[in-house]
Amino acid sequence: MRILQIMRAPVGGLFRHVADLSHELAQRGHKIGVVVDTLSADSQSEAKLEALSPDLELGIHYAEIPRTLGAGDITTPFSLRSLTRKLEIEVIHGHGAKGGFHARLARTKHTPTFYTPHGGVLHFDKASTNGRIFHALERRLMRRTDGIFFESEYARQTYATIVDEPTCPSLVVHNGLREDEFFPVETAPDAADFVFIGELRRLKGVHILLEALSKVHRRDGSPANALFVGDGPDRKSFEQLAGSLGLGSRVSMPGANPARDAFQRGRCVIVPSLAESLPYIVLEAIAAGKPVIATAVGGIPEIFGPNASELVPANDAEALRVAMQLFIDDPEEAARQTQRKSAYIRQKFSAARMAAQIEAQYRSAMHRD
C-alpha cells in the first residue's frame, strides 16, 4: 500500500507514534510518506525526521498546518489532495486534531482516510470557542472518516462524551514499543532515589511530587532525593516551592535529556500526572526495568492492566508519599512488581502488534471500496 501520514508538529508522543508506525509498515513492504507542518517544530525536529527518512520511500512533505484556525486551513487541503494524486496514495492517516482535520478534507472518493486523535481534540474545553468549533468539525468530518483509532479506551470514552459516539468504524489500538526497548537500563551508583521525566508544568503533578518528597526518608533515616528531568513553563515556581519546602539539595532540575539516559540517573520513575492519555514514558520505564509509581489517570490503568491496583490517586500527596516510602522500604517487592508489569506490556504493547492492527483496518477499508 502507498500510505500518507499527516501530522502537525513532529514532536512528542504523537511523533513517536507516527515514527514507530511508519517503520513497522515499511518493514512490511508498504511505501510511506509523511506530511508535517512548516510552522512548528522544536530543536530536535529535523534530526528526528532525518532519522525516520530511510523508512519514508514516498518522502517528507511540508504544508502550512496552523495550531488553531488559520489561512492554511483553507489552502492546505487542496495542496494535500494534489499531493495524494501525485504520489498515488491509497490510504491517508491523519494524527492529532489538525492532522486529522486536513487528512479528512484531503480525502478523495477512492482514498480511505483514517484518524487518530492522540488526545488533541480531547484537550479543548467544551465551553471554549475553540472547543465548540473543533468538536463541531469533528462531528461534521465523521462522514469523511473510514476509521478512528484511539490509543486508549480512556481516549475512546472521552471522545464519545465530549464529541460524540463515532458513526464510522473505531478501534482501540494501544501505543507500542519496539523489541529493542525491552532491555534493562543499569542504574548509576550515584542515582537519585526518584526521577521525574517530562514537562515541568502543574498538569504533570510536579508540585504534588515535591510535597510528597519532603516527607520521604531512606531506611537509614536520611532524606530521600529526586531528579526532575525536563523543562517547562512552571519550572521557576517549582524551584521556589522546593525551596519553601526545605528540599534544598535534595532536588535537582538539570533540564531535558533522553528518557533512557534519565533512567540511569534514578532508582524509581515517578509519574504523578493529574491528566494523561497513554504516556509513552510509563511504557518505556517499565520496559527498561525501572520501578514505576504512577497515578490512576487516563490510560495508565490500561498499561498496568492486572497491576492497576498499585496506582495511586491523582492530586493526593499523602497517597504518593506512602507509595514512595514503600519503594524505599521494600525495593525487592518493587522489583517483583516491575517484572510482572514488564511481562504484561511486552505482550500487549508492542509496536509490531500496534502496526498489525492498523494495517488490517487499512486493508479492510480498501476492500470495502
Side-chain angles (χ1 to χ4, degrees), residues 182-261:
F182 285 92
F183 66 90
V185 170
E186 186 174 348
T187 303
D190 61 346
D193 298 303
F194 303 98
V195 59
F196 166 90
I197 305 166
E199 191 176 8
L200 299 181
R201 59 185 180 127
R202 290 185 68 84
L203 189 67
K204 295 298 183 179
V206 177
H207 56 300
I208 305 299
L209 173 53
L210 289 168
E211 184 180 343
L213 177 67
S214 67
K215 302 172 185 176
V216 178
H217 293 80
R218 299 172 183 147
R219 285 188 283 186
D220 64 3
S222 62
N225 63 0
L227 187 69
F228 292 77
V229 177
D231 212 336
D234 297 323
R235 175 177 180 149
K236 192 70 177 177
S237 68
F238 293 147
E239 290 174 338
Q240 293 171 348
L241 177 60
S244 68
L245 290 170
L247 292 171
S249 60
R250 296 169 60 184
V251 166
S252 176
M253 298 184 184
N257 273 292
R260 290 192 76 87
D261 291 346

Side-chain angles (χ1 to χ4, degrees), residues 61 99 139 168 239 301:
H61 306 272
R139 291 186 285 271
C168 61
E239 290 174 338

Side-chain angles (χ1 to χ4, degrees), residues 85-106:
R85 288 194 292 266
K86 176 183 176 182
L87 297 178
E88 299 179 335
I89 294 301
E90 296 172 286
V91 174
I92 302 173
H93 190 161
H95 299 266
K98 293 308 293 286
F101 174 80
H102 285 287
R104 289 174 288 177
L105 288 181

Side-chain angles (χ1 to χ4, degrees), residues 32-63:
I32 314 298
V34 164
V35 174
V36 298
D37 175 35
T38 58
L39 305 174
S40 58
D42 64 12
S43 59
Q44 301 179 32
S45 294
E46 287 304 317
K48 291 176 180 177
L49 289 169
E50 182 64 28
L52 180 58
S53 61
D55 294 316
L56 304 178
E57 187 171 338
L58 301 182
I60 301 169
H61 306 272
Y62 295 87

